Amino acid sequence: MIPDHEDIGIGSFACAFGDVECKPENIPDFEALWETVSFGTDFAEMGCTTYRKMSGPVEDYVVDAVRRTLRAAGVSAAEVDHLVFATSDPALALVPPDFASRVLLALGMDDCVPHVVSFQRCCSSLTALQHGERLFADPDVTNVAVVAFDFMPEDRDRVRSYAIFGDAATSCLLTRTGSGLVRLLSSAIKTDPEGLRGRDTFVSRKDVAERTLAAAMRAGGRRPEQLAKVFAANLHKPLTLFNATSVGLLPDAMHFTDTLAAYGHCGNADWMINLLDYHERFGIRSGETYLAQSLAPGFYACGLLEGTAQ
């Protein structure tokens, strides 16, 4: 375990979006596809006007995001001890077997250990953040990079229930020095058995969210009313706000999903995209408490963060 007195800083967030800007309505047979998955919801209410598509190999965007994170932190590739990849299971199935080694070599990380966290769909990156912090139990570890990515080669596959998927890679750096934008107070992920069976309901989703939030709040010594902002998944906005209200997260005051309009739902990268966008526009404040959260069929994950930037 990491000593209680040691705070691991998390910062130097970077995003690499797909370089091609597209409109959802230009996806072949979009109206029919949306009708199939929408359950009668109006697409215009989602709030997504464009999404980004990768025109090259996903590893190029992953390398770009990590490289910009290291540059912002003033850390060389040789100083990174571990690189934790996070992606949803469909995207993991699309990367080549030598994906990790190609990324490490492109970055010049000759003495870096790769990890992968997946099979939790859009919740994977929050578990990766937790895993990255636990790697500091080794006293020789100084820097751990976490990179979350999701992408879809086929445009028709982007149209999902309550979501339009876009392509992106995001990254951040965990450091033993404690320097960074935030620190992780606590995190939790729990399973909705009905969701794993494809039979999730409002009741089952609410139950897993309440259990997960309660665990994170208890471990972090915080209450929901202390949250300054929630960085959530970029799903259908009315549904996102309804789900937030149902578990006591008042959306008007706390929810931030503004990047949905431009980028759509970028899978497990969403919370990082929203956190960085919020910081660039308004600033993460030292001492304030923030919540990163994501949900997927069968899972709910959240991380309680405290601002440390001066």
Side-chain angles (χ1 to χ4, degrees), residues 54 56-64 91 94-96 99 103 149-151 168-169:
M54 294 178 179
V58 64
E59 67 199 63
D60 292 350
Y61 302 85
V62 169
V63 168
D64 179 43
L94 297 171
V95 300
F99 175 78
V103 170
F149 65 93
D150 266 308
F151 68 106

Side-chain angles (χ1 to χ4, degrees), residues 194-230:
E194 291 303 297
L196 293 179
R197 297 181 176 92
R199 301 199 301 259
D200 53 314
T201 63
F202 168 74
V203 173
S204 71
R205 292 191 295 271
K206 181 174 183 291
D207 174 70
V208 69
E210 287 179 335
R211 289 188 288 114
T212 310
L213 285 165
M217 293 292 174
R218 183 170 57 250
R222 298 291 191 275
R223 300 183 305 277
E225 58 267 27
Q226 294 177 284
L227 296 175
K229 195 64 61 176
V230 177

Side-chain angles (χ1 to χ4, degrees), residues 64-186:
D64 179 43
V66 177
R67 186 171 285 147
R68 286 195 281 120
T69 281
L70 299 185
R71 188 183 306 124
V75 171
S76 71
E79 295 175 286
V80 179
D81 304 291
H82 297 269
L83 176 57
V84 184
F85 298 93
T87 192
S88 59
D89 13 329
L92 181 64
L94 297 171
V95 300
D98 61 346
F99 175 78
S101 61
R102 285 158 62 172
V103 170
L104 292 177
L105 292 173
L107 288 165
M109 293 181 172
D110 297 334
D111 194 27
C112 179
V113 180
H115 307 246
V116 64
V117 177
S118 189
F119 297 128
Q120 297 167 18
R121 304 187 76 85
C122 296
C123 297
S124 298
S125 61
L126 285 166
T127 298
L129 189 70
Q130 180 188 73
H131 176 68
E133 187 182 59
R134 289 175 176 173
L135 291 171
F136 286 90
D138 179 349
D140 292 330
V141 171
T142 303
N143 297 295
V144 174
V146 174
V147 57
F149 65 93
D150 266 308
F151 68 106
M152 288 193 167
E154 299 296 330
D155 283 343
R156 290 173 59 89
D157 292 337
R158 299 180 185 279
V159 186
R160 301 295 180 93
S161 299
Y162 303 112
I164 295 294
F165 276 74
D167 299 344
T170 59
S171 62
C172 62
L173 188 70
L174 283 62
T175 63
R176 190 180 291 278
T177 62
S179 61
L181 190 60
V182 296
R183 68 185 181 99
L184 183 64
L185 296 173
S186 63

Side-chain angles (χ1 to χ4, degrees), residues 224-298:
E225 58 267 27
Q226 294 177 284
L227 296 175
K229 195 64 61 176
V230 177
F231 305 115
N234 288 341
L235 301 171
H236 192 269
K237 187 165 287 186
L239 177 70
T240 299
L241 299 183
F242 177 78
N243 286 340
T245 303
S246 73
V247 294
L249 300 177
L250 302 178
D252 291 341
M254 295 191 299
H255 245 63
F256 187 82
T257 57
D258 287 10
T259 60
L260 167 63
Y263 305 118
H265 176 40
C266 298
N268 80 139
D270 275 356
W271 72 268
M272 282 201 219
I273 295 170
N274 283 314
L275 184 152
L276 179 58
D277 187 73
Y278 180 84
H279 177 59
E280 290 177 343
R281 293 168 57 187
F282 306 106
I284 295 292
R285 296 185 179 181
S286 180
E288 289 198 335
T289 304
Y290 303 90
L291 182 74
Q293 65 95 41
S294 189
L295 66 160

Side-chain angles (χ1 to χ4, degrees), residues 33-67:
L33 291 170
W34 180 251
E35 182 67 25
T36 301
V37 302
S38 67
F39 305 102
T41 57
D42 182 359
F43 174 72
E45 293 179 352
M46 177 183 287
C48 175
T49 56
T50 61
Y51 66 89
R52 301 300 190 273
K53 179 178 180 177
M54 294 178 179
S55 63
V58 64
E59 67 199 63
D60 292 350
Y61 302 85
V62 169
V63 168
D64 179 43
V66 177
R67 186 171 285 147

